[in-house]
mmCIF file of all heavy atoms in Angstrom:
data_model
loop_
_atom_site.group_PDB
_atom_site.id
_atom_site.type_symbol
_atom_site.label_atom_id
_atom_site.label_comp_id
_atom_site.label_asym_id
_atom_site.label_seq_id
_atom_site.Cartn_x
_atom_site.Cartn_y
_atom_site.Cartn_z
ATOM 1 N N SER A 224 114.145 95.433 107.342
ATOM 2 C CA SER A 224 113.462 94.563 106.380
ATOM 3 C C SER A 224 112.686 93.461 107.087
ATOM 4 O O SER A 224 113.150 92.902 108.084
ATOM 5 C CB SER A 224 114.488 93.900 105.450
ATOM 6 O OG SER A 224 115.260 94.866 104.789
ATOM 7 N N ILE A 225 111.529 93.154 106.545
ATOM 8 C CA ILE A 225 110.704 92.055 107.036
ATOM 9 C C ILE A 225 110.806 90.923 106.014
ATOM 10 O O ILE A 225 110.456 91.112 104.851
ATOM 11 C CB ILE A 225 109.224 92.507 107.178
ATOM 12 C CG1 ILE A 225 109.110 93.620 108.227
ATOM 13 C CG2 ILE A 225 108.324 91.314 107.508
ATOM 14 C CD1 ILE A 225 107.750 94.329 108.240
ATOM 15 N N VAL A 226 111.354 89.792 106.442
ATOM 16 C CA VAL A 226 111.435 88.628 105.549
ATOM 17 C C VAL A 226 110.815 87.458 106.311
ATOM 18 O O VAL A 226 111.469 86.840 107.151
ATOM 19 C CB VAL A 226 112.899 88.329 105.138
ATOM 20 C CG1 VAL A 226 112.951 87.142 104.184
ATOM 21 C CG2 VAL A 226 113.550 89.551 104.490
ATOM 22 N N GLY A 227 109.545 87.215 106.043
ATOM 23 C CA GLY A 227 108.801 86.230 106.836
ATOM 24 C C GLY A 227 108.316 85.073 105.984
ATOM 25 O O GLY A 227 107.525 85.260 105.057
ATOM 26 N N ALA A 228 108.794 83.881 106.312
ATOM 27 C CA ALA A 228 108.375 82.684 105.571
ATOM 28 C C ALA A 228 107.232 82.008 106.318
ATOM 29 O O ALA A 228 107.186 82.017 107.554
ATOM 30 C CB ALA A 228 109.541 81.723 105.434
ATOM 31 N N GLY A 229 106.306 81.407 105.563
ATOM 32 C CA GLY A 229 105.207 80.661 106.170
ATOM 33 C C GLY A 229 104.456 81.503 107.182
ATOM 34 O O GLY A 229 104.117 82.659 106.921
ATOM 35 N N GLY A 230 104.244 80.930 108.378
ATOM 36 C CA GLY A 230 103.476 81.616 109.420
ATOM 37 C C GLY A 230 104.106 82.930 109.886
ATOM 38 O O GLY A 230 103.400 83.804 110.402
ATOM 39 N N ASN A 231 105.406 83.099 109.683
ATOM 40 C CA ASN A 231 106.051 84.366 110.085
ATOM 41 C C ASN A 231 105.463 85.555 109.334
ATOM 42 O O ASN A 231 105.545 86.694 109.804
ATOM 43 C CB ASN A 231 107.562 84.306 109.844
ATOM 44 C CG ASN A 231 108.249 83.283 110.736
ATOM 45 O OD1 ASN A 231 107.704 82.899 111.770
ATOM 46 N ND2 ASN A 231 109.432 82.830 110.342
ATOM 47 N N ALA A 232 104.919 85.283 108.150
ATOM 48 C CA ALA A 232 104.331 86.362 107.344
ATOM 49 C C ALA A 232 103.067 86.921 107.994
ATOM 50 O O ALA A 232 102.591 87.987 107.615
ATOM 51 C CB ALA A 232 104.006 85.853 105.942
ATOM 52 N N THR A 233 102.530 86.202 108.976
ATOM 53 C CA THR A 233 101.303 86.688 109.633
ATOM 54 C C THR A 233 101.634 87.566 110.841
ATOM 55 O O THR A 233 100.733 88.095 111.480
ATOM 56 C CB THR A 233 100.390 85.516 110.080
ATOM 57 O OG1 THR A 233 101.039 84.803 111.134
ATOM 58 C CG2 THR A 233 100.093 84.573 108.924
ATOM 59 N N VAL A 234 102.929 87.706 111.149
ATOM 60 C CA VAL A 234 103.350 88.641 112.207
ATOM 61 C C VAL A 234 103.704 89.947 111.507
ATOM 62 O O VAL A 234 104.661 90.005 110.726
ATOM 63 C CB VAL A 234 104.579 88.092 112.974
ATOM 64 C CG1 VAL A 234 105.033 89.076 114.041
ATOM 65 C CG2 VAL A 234 104.254 86.733 113.591
ATOM 66 N N LEU A 235 102.930 91.002 111.763
ATOM 67 C CA LEU A 235 103.002 92.188 110.895
ATOM 68 C C LEU A 235 104.395 92.806 110.852
ATOM 69 O O LEU A 235 104.875 93.175 109.799
ATOM 70 C CB LEU A 235 101.968 93.222 111.329
ATOM 71 C CG LEU A 235 100.517 92.727 111.226
ATOM 72 C CD1 LEU A 235 99.560 93.795 111.701
ATOM 73 C CD2 LEU A 235 100.176 92.295 109.806
#
Side-chain angles (χ1 to χ4, degrees):
S224 303
I225 297 168
V226 181
N231 294 339
T233 68
V234 179
L235 298 179

